[in-house]
Amino acid sequence: MTQLLIEMVAPLIIALAAVWGMTKRVDVYGALVQGAGEGLGVLIKIVPAMVGLMTAVYMLRASGAMEAAGALLAPFLTRLGVPPETVGLLLVRPVSGNAALGVGSELIATYGPDSTVGRTAAVMLGSTETTFYTIAVYFGAAGIRKTRYAVPAALCADVAAFLAAAWAVRLIFGA
């Protein structure tokens, strides 16, 4: 019974939204089509930024720059209590969610899901955002050219989340 309720949550929400719209005399299908059209317009605006970000991430990984940065940052991260193996994730996560999932999957496959590195990687993936992608998408869709303090503030939040993730894993699992 519980499984059936879990499986029915999304369809019920959609049905309730449609019924609510009809009671308010809204053309639900017309609103859906109009929203989909606006979504495609936003997609056309953000695709160039997405392609540029993905290209940059793959170039950094292929050039070995990520590994070099990881070797440079490892001693500093060890002092902070962050597993040095997660350096690749720290560098990639703000730029690309797909690349970060790839790095996280590699870490979990290499060290195991119950290892300190695997747990830390999983918590880091769940507690941080693809900062540059998000800023490119939302600011691009809104037509904002100058991000001002948004990028530094978001990167500070990412650093805080990475540190908190590592500390939380150490605190909870005693690693």
Side-chain angles (χ1 to χ4, degrees):
M1 181 66 179
T2 305
Q3 184 64 27
L4 178 64
L5 287 175
I6 291 171
E7 291 175 2
M8 294 303 295
V9 168
L12 284 174
I13 290 173
I14 292 169
L16 287 173
V19 169
W20 181 79
M22 288 187 293
T23 60
K24 297 292 184 183
R25 302 217 183 263
V26 173
D27 178 15
V28 176
Y29 181 74
L32 175 70
V33 171
Q34 179 183 359
E38 291 173 8
L40 286 175
V42 170
L43 181 67
I44 290 170
K45 288 181 183 178
I46 65 172
V47 165
M50 289 172 48
V51 170
L53 285 172
M54 297 300 251
T55 302
V57 167
Y58 291 122
M59 287 173 59
L60 284 173
R61 283 190 90 182
S63 70
M66 297 254 271
E67 288 78 19
L72 185 68
L73 293 173
F76 177 69
L77 292 174
T78 302
R79 278 189 233 128
L80 291 174
V82 178
E85 298 85 359
T86 61
V87 169
L89 184 60
L90 297 172
L91 297 173
V92 169
R93 180 63 174 163
V95 180
S96 170
N98 288 335
L101 284 174
V103 171
S105 295
E106 289 173 15
L107 289 172
I108 291 170
T110 302
Y111 296 98
D114 292 328
S115 68
T116 301
V117 173
R119 288 175 173 157
T120 303
V123 175
M124 285 177 175
L125 283 168
S127 61
T128 57
E129 182 59 75
T130 52
T131 302
F132 292 107
Y133 169 80
T134 303
I135 287 173
V137 168
Y138 290 116
F139 281 48
I144 298 171
R145 298 272 183 234
K146 295 182 181 177
T147 61
R148 214 171 147 102
Y149 300 113
V151 173
L155 290 176
C156 286
D158 281 341
V159 169
F162 287 132
L163 291 173
W167 293 339
V169 168
R170 290 175 62 122
L171 178 70
I172 292 170
F173 296 104

